[in-house]
Amino acid sequence: MWQMVGRRETGRLPPHKFRALLQKTRLYSIELAGHKEIASAHKSGVNSLQQIDATEARYLLSGAADGSVAVYDIEQATAYDHSTRTSKHEALFMVDKRVLNGHLYSVSCVHWYPIDTGIFVTGSFDNFVNVWDTNTTQVELQFNMSKKVYSLSMSTLATTHMLIATGTDDTRIRLCDIASGAFTHTLSGHRDSVWVVQWSTRSEWVLVSGGCDGAIRFWDIRRAGCYQILDQQCSQIGRRPPVLKKSSRTHGREDNLCTKYLNASSPIRQRGQKRSFGISAVDSRTAHYGSVAGLQMTADGLHMISAGTDSRLRLWDVESGCNTLVNYPSTYIRGNKGIQMAVTPDSSLVFTPSLNAILVYDVWSGHSYSSLRGHYDQVNCCAFHPQGQELYTGSNDRKILVWAPRRPIDIDNFDYEDAEQAIKADEDAWSD
Amino acid sequence: MGDVSDRIGRPTDNGQIGIIDPDCRLIGLHLYDGLFKVIPIDSKGQLKEAFNIRLEELQVLDIKFLYGCSKPTIAVLFQDNRDARHVKTYEVLLKEKDFADGPWVQNNLDNGAGLLIPVPLPLGGVIIIGEQTIVYYNGFVFKAISIQPAITRAYGRVDADGSRYLLSDLTGMLHLLVITHEKDRVTGLKVERLGETSAASTISYLDNAVVYVGSSYGDSQLIKLNLQPDSKGSYVEVLESFVNLGPIVDFCVVDLERQGQGQVVTCSGAFKDGTLRIVRNGIGINEQASAELPGIKGMWSLRASSKDVYDTFLVVTFISETRILAINAEDELEETEIEGFDSDAQTLFCQNVLHDQLIQVTASSLRLVDAISRRQLNEWRAPPGLSINVAAASSSQVLLATGGGHLVYIEIGQRELIEVKHVKLEYEISCLDINPVGEDPDRSYLAVVGMWTDITARIFSLPNLELLTKHSLGGEIIPRSVLFCTFEGIPYLLCALGDGHLFNFILDVNTGQLSDRKKVSLGTQPITLRTFRSKNATHVFAASDRPTVIYSSNRKLLYSNVNLKEVNYMCPFNSASFPDSLAIGKEGELTIGTIDDIQKLHIRTVPLNEHARRIAHQEATRTFAICSAKYIPTVEDMETHFVRLLDDQTFENIASFQLDAYENGCSIISCSFTDDNNVYYCVGTGYAIPEESEPNKGRILVFLVEDGKLQLVAEKETKGAVYNLNAFNGKLLAAINHKIHLYKWTLRDDGTRELQSECGHHGHILALFVQSRGDFIVMGDLMKSISLLIYKPEEGAIEECARDYNANWMSAVEILDDDIYLGAENSFNLFTVRKNSDAATDEERSKLEVVGEYHLGEFVNRFRHGSLVMRLPDSETSQIPTVIFGTVNGVIGVIASLPQEQYMFLHKLQQNLVKVIKGVGGLSHEQWRSFSNERKTVDAKNFLDGDLIESFLDLSRSRMEEISTAMSVPVEELCKRVEELTRLH
């Protein structure tokens, strides 16, 4: 550490690399945080967590199976325990079915409005998507999806639209417009329920969805229909098409899908002509055997990780649509709803809920770094806080746990007892 | 022009790469991981729209274009997931906007491979430089050679055909790499060691074995490669060195000469090029001799004969006598006599003139004296009732002014004085000059006269004393000194007023017209102007309460202050024993000294041959203490750390204290404790064991300087590296890893002292930077911006009162005043935060409000309070507090806290300047100065760009007027305000 600071001072280590290296080293030592505790306000399992990144990265939003939604301030503690040196973060407020138009059943997904913390959006098994005003904690707008809502997403990039993409028990994906309060798009293609939807982190027009039919579809909302379906068998990444055989490209759609499709500026060049082939075997491509339970794009939008109920994680090269065949060992993913994974902003690590633990993998090699154990029941969701490098996880055991890079507990003579207690208290905190 | 940045993308870890195809078909950029940006160039040389190509390699180390390929081809050096390194080639298909596999691939290279050198035709291919091997490959021929382990950082091509290259490694060793070949077929590689230079960042082979070595760790050098090695076996001869202050790791501001002027002593350079640099503003006078002589009223130097090279006599005049000093055989100044001179009157002027004669002007007469016999030859007496007030002369002319406004022009002949012309002006004359500025060095055709009453400068023609120009100076202060002089071939008229202001004009020698009037303020007292020559250039010395040297560079007049308090008179005195010296008359003292090179900043280098990391100065013992590391180049990363004591005048190493193995000196301060009169050096250390990511052991060492020795008085073991130490109300505040500790200095029963822990504060990631003021502690965290802590003496506890919730990665902090704190962060930005102690809610009080943001573009390592300029107690600028910063690139800068009114004024000026002054390449100033890091980009606020504002003074008059109209403030006023600002540094 001192050497790194020294190398930064002399300019041998460029500041941005210093930062990246340090973040990485810190991430590898992530463990249950002894210094921070979130007092979960929920009476049943926590299904969804989200942190706002855009403005302050300070407020955590959680949705639970009892229909309640709570907001926590993760920077400023509500109470501080000097003996254990833990800061306790209680919910700033909680809303549940007692609020007018509050959710009656399990809240499956929560999302902050990407611009500020004035609005948040929740989806629930009671078929409603609610838009809340944070200041009044009232429902401002409701969308009746008439099916269980599994997932919703808002684009953090969007400058021209304010659409909530929703994945429901229906095969269709619908986009709800907050501005008008109406549905603007219906995207059909999936053959079963859609458990996950996520906006691209590269283009504000691109939406990715994963369904129970095992398919992952890419949609450009400016055009009709989906333009890419990921195929787990298509794995020839790195193989460039031989230049001279360019002319033979029109034959096989196989080839086309494996070559470049998506350019940052114009995601769907030449797509129109390909649509004319009509429905074929293409539509039955699958990304997973089983349902697609989780999708997470890397921050630069070049790669995507998907999780399936076939207990596999797959890393996809988004532009070519290729399966990179990175093997992430020993995951266990089952269940009847989607999970929320998290990828660090530098795309080095992925956090995946797997039964009671959260598994940490290197994104590129699939090497398993650790498995974070602390929850007593199935873990549903992870949210990563990039500035503090903290991981927040929610589980069916009703708890929200904080995982942070290790802090050395120094035992100096004058606070020896304090530290001793801190360790004990740490152990206690586990076993309730 | 366009912008190649993408809104989304992860910036590359290994730095941006920008390369141009050797056949100029495209520009390639690697800015974001996974993407290769291409800017096509068409046949007319126009840039086309850029596009990205997906690059699958994740950890790219280097990309280069290959020579001689029909399609543009890149070679990519990359590292895979298993940390193995490979080179792959791609052809860039401009039409398809994609890559195609290139002609060859080379897998599994040296693990330290880090540099690609494309080899031009006829050989083609690339050289891959590793840490242990150098490989040549072109798809067919593979040649490898093993080398001494070295990390090569820079290369330079010697021949156009690419058969020889210069390589430089981190230790500064220069090697020659030769590709041996038979015609176009490469037969092998050869490496030869040439010698040592500064650790190079760039190498440019110029011609004729002359090479420029650019270094970011030491001085850049111009070297010559000799055919034969010298006695040490080195082929390298250093021709010239170019000063580089970077990287400034630490510095302190001291006043070594105790003149009220700060100097900066920096820890500069890295590794073997480590040095201390003493940076001083202004021009220094190196005193050679001095004598007590109160009441000096004027000084001139005279040569014994016109053939002499050196001056012999120094004429010093007093209120009612004139004394002549000369240097005797013992190199001492001795009083002597010139018979023909009137020694019982005050001399107004004297000079060597034509025909080996001297002149002396007193109030009553002008005497012509033979230089050899020293007898009076002739005399011109002032008319009865009138006394001579001022006089000036060239080698052949004298111009006198007497009371009543009489102006008398006299020509000097052999043994005679001829009164040529006499005019009477309407007012009294205050000053005049006839220094020749035309082609004839002995004769002037113009005279300038400064007037009382109407406050004008008038230009007369000689010899007939016709008025050519009358220029009103305005105001009520009379001109006290006027001077013609030529800088860089341009004739100027300088006119100094009684209140320390100076006008300068460009003079038309033929018509006597004045143009380009500029006014500056040099001091507050009357100025006397004198020319002198140094290093074959003419300069002007303005003697006043703030002595200044006026010189010209790039056709612009520059004013550099001299490091003397007050000078009344000055004259050049170039004698045999004191060559190129100046005689300076101060209050009660005559000094003879040489003058530094005429430039603004003076840098003295003290080579250490080891890397100084921290520095502190102790006034009481007049010493510096540094923490330094000595690298042993042969063993990888092996270094020994020392605490060294240096004398603050000679910079000699007086004493050293070697630290334990792996122990690094991390911080050092000079401080004293309550109940103890001694002043100590406290050193904080950390044990950096290679396997440990975070030091978990360190020490605080307390040293006392006694008889030039470092006495270890006390030591205290800590549970981590002591990143920072601060004197805190007679106690010691230490930042140890993620904690802040307060230690008190206690007396043990046996009379010895020890540091005892009193209280602490934790909860930080890494407390890297700490400053304190009163009971307040301002802490810069590694990644959590600034926090404000308070020490509560009654409770004996440190508590957090407020913090900035932004996630800034800090590189330095400083306290500007009680409420405002300054921080520098990882992405080259500066920001200030304000304590909100008056806020209504707890929430607001606990938050440090961000008040200022600015992109500096430099990585700041250290802030220190202080100033590089002499602070005059009565000037306005001395009220403005300044902070000096030092950066990785070797920049020293000044941040001044301006009063609100001045800020508003200058802010308006800056806004107007931005419209007139266009940035290099049309880049927007506003965009460049916007605070920008990974998380956000916002416009700069509450910071002004001093460099931009000062460039106002370089503008042409018409553009100045343009701005003046836009601001509705007169140009003079604007100049004055901006000059005030320049006075800060």
Side-chain angles (χ1 to χ4, degrees), chain A residues 20 24 27-28 201 237 296-306 313-320 322-329 342-352 360-369, chain B residues 9-11 13 32-35 54-60 78-83:
Chain A
K24 214 169 272 181
L27 275 176
Y28 290 147
T201 48
I237 186 155
Q296 187 62 48
M297 264 205 187
T298 58
D300 59 8
L302 295 176
H303 293 89
M304 186 175 71
I305 293 175
S306 66
L313 291 191
R314 297 196 203 287
L315 176 69
W316 305 88
D317 184 79
V318 171
E319 192 176 307
S320 62
C322 284
N323 179 1
T324 59
L325 292 183
V326 176
N327 178 35
Y328 302 90
V343 177
T344 57
D346 62 352
S347 312
S348 61
L349 295 182
V350 56
F351 302 96
T352 313
V360 187
Y361 294 103
D362 182 288
V363 170
W364 310 115
S365 66
H367 177 73
S368 165
Y369 273 102
Chain B
R10 198 169 64 247
D13 278 354
Y32 302 97
D33 275 349
L35 295 170
R54 189 80 171 78
L55 185 68
E56 270 123 24
E57 285 67 38
L58 289 165
Q59 281 205 60
V60 173
F78 66 99
Q79 182 169 323
D80 68 11
N81 286 326
R82 289 171 205 83
D83 291 347

Side-chain angles (χ1 to χ4, degrees), chain B residues 543-592:
Chain B
S544 75
D545 60 334
R546 197 186 142 91
T548 305
V549 170
I550 304 164
Y551 59 105
S552 160
S553 172
N554 294 324
R555 311 199 146 211
K556 185 187 166 210
L557 286 190
L558 298 173
Y559 306 87
S560 203
N561 61 311
V562 179
N563 295 342
L564 290 173
K565 278 234 167 87
E566 183 162 1
V567 173
N568 298 331
Y569 298 97
M570 189 292 297
C571 81
F573 186 54
N574 178 21
S575 64
S577 31
F578 302 119
D580 277 329
S581 297
L582 304 178
I584 290 159
K586 290 190 269 191
E587 200 66 48
E589 197 183 29
L590 169 69
T591 307
I592 294 176

Side-chain angles (χ1 to χ4, degrees), chain A residues 1-3 5-6 8-12 15-20 22-24 26 53 55-56 58 75-76 80 85 157 201-202 237-238 240 243 246 260 263 299-300 302-303 317 319 345-347 364-365 387 389 407-408 410-415, chain B residues 7-10 12-14 33 35 54 56 58 81 96-101 217 247 249 271 611 613-614 664-666 688 693-695 719 723 738-739 741 757 762-763 765-766 782-783 803 805 807 809-810 826 828 843 846 859 861 888 934-935:
Chain A
M1 181 60 227
W2 164 248
Q3 276 102 331
V5 171
R8 181 176 71 158
E9 272 176 1
T10 53
R12 270 178 79 189
H16 68 274
K17 201 171 175 183
F18 169 87
R19 188 187 144 106
L22 218 73
Q23 279 179 336
K24 214 169 272 181
R26 278 168 57 78
D53 309 314
T55 47
E56 285 178 281
R58 188 171 166 183
E75 288 288 348
Q76 206 160 28
Y80 186 78
R85 289 185 178 174
L157 300 176
T201 48
R202 208 163 171 81
I237 186 155
R240 300 277 172 182
V243 183
K246 269 263 138 97
K260 59 179 276 104
N263 202 312
D300 59 8
L302 295 176
H303 293 89
D317 184 79
E319 192 176 307
D346 62 352
S347 312
W364 310 115
S365 66
Q387 276 84 47
Q389 284 148 14
R407 293 186 175 214
D410 52 348
I411 306 163
D412 279 358
N413 42 14
F414 73 95
D415 55 8
Chain B
R7 197 152 74 102
I8 298 146
R10 198 169 64 247
T12 52
D13 278 354
N14 294 314
D33 275 349
L35 295 170
R54 189 80 171 78
E56 270 123 24
L58 289 165
N81 286 326
E96 289 85 357
K97 300 189 177 179
D98 203 351
F99 284 141
D101 282 340
Y217 300 132
V249 180
F271 317 114
H611 183 192
R613 295 284 305 269
R614 296 287 180 266
N664 287 217
C666 306
S693 67
E694 184 63 57
K719 296 277 172 197
Y723 286 107
H738 62 293
K739 277 189 91 160
H741 270 275
S757 175
H762 49 83
I765 306 285
L766 204 61
L782 171 73
M783 53 203 286
R803 53 181 278 217
Y805 283 94
W809 287 57
M810 303 302 293
N826 208 39
F828 316 121
E843 155 99 26
S846 71
F859 186 88
N861 272 329
V888 166
E934 294 83 355
R935 293 190 56 233

Side-chain angles (χ1 to χ4, degrees), chain A residues 32-104:
Chain A
L32 193 62
H35 63 279
K36 206 176 214 178
E37 191 177 288
I38 289 190
S40 169
H42 305 295
K43 295 189 185 63
S44 65
V46 179
N47 282 333
S48 181
L49 286 174
Q50 208 218 356
Q51 243 146 338
I52 175 159
D53 309 314
T55 47
E56 285 178 281
R58 188 171 166 183
Y59 299 102
L60 178 75
L61 185 64
S62 71
D66 62 354
S68 60
V69 176
V71 171
Y72 308 86
D73 182 345
I74 55 171
E75 288 288 348
Q76 206 160 28
T78 45
Y80 186 78
D81 187 338
H82 283 277
S83 61
T84 59
R85 289 185 178 174
T86 32
S87 51
K88 203 164 180 178
H89 300 257
E90 274 156 14
L92 295 177
F93 65 84
M94 190 189 74
V95 287
D96 55 17
K97 57 189 115 193
R98 283 170 292 183
V99 177
L100 181 69
N101 292 334
H103 289 301
L104 299 174

Side-chain angles (χ1 to χ4, degrees), chain B residues 460-505:
Chain B
F460 293 91
S461 68
L462 292 180
N464 38 11
L465 286 181
E466 270 170 32
L467 181 66
L468 297 175
T469 314
K470 189 159 115 180
H471 188 99
S472 172
L473 299 172
E476 292 164 355
I477 314 292
I478 56 153
R480 294 292 287 263
S481 184
V482 283
L483 186 73
F484 285 131
C485 61
T486 312
F487 292 117
E488 294 182 298
I490 303 172
Y492 287 91
L493 168 67
L494 303 178
C495 176
L497 306 187
D499 62 351
H501 280 92
L502 179 87
F503 286 98
N504 68 65
F505 305 89

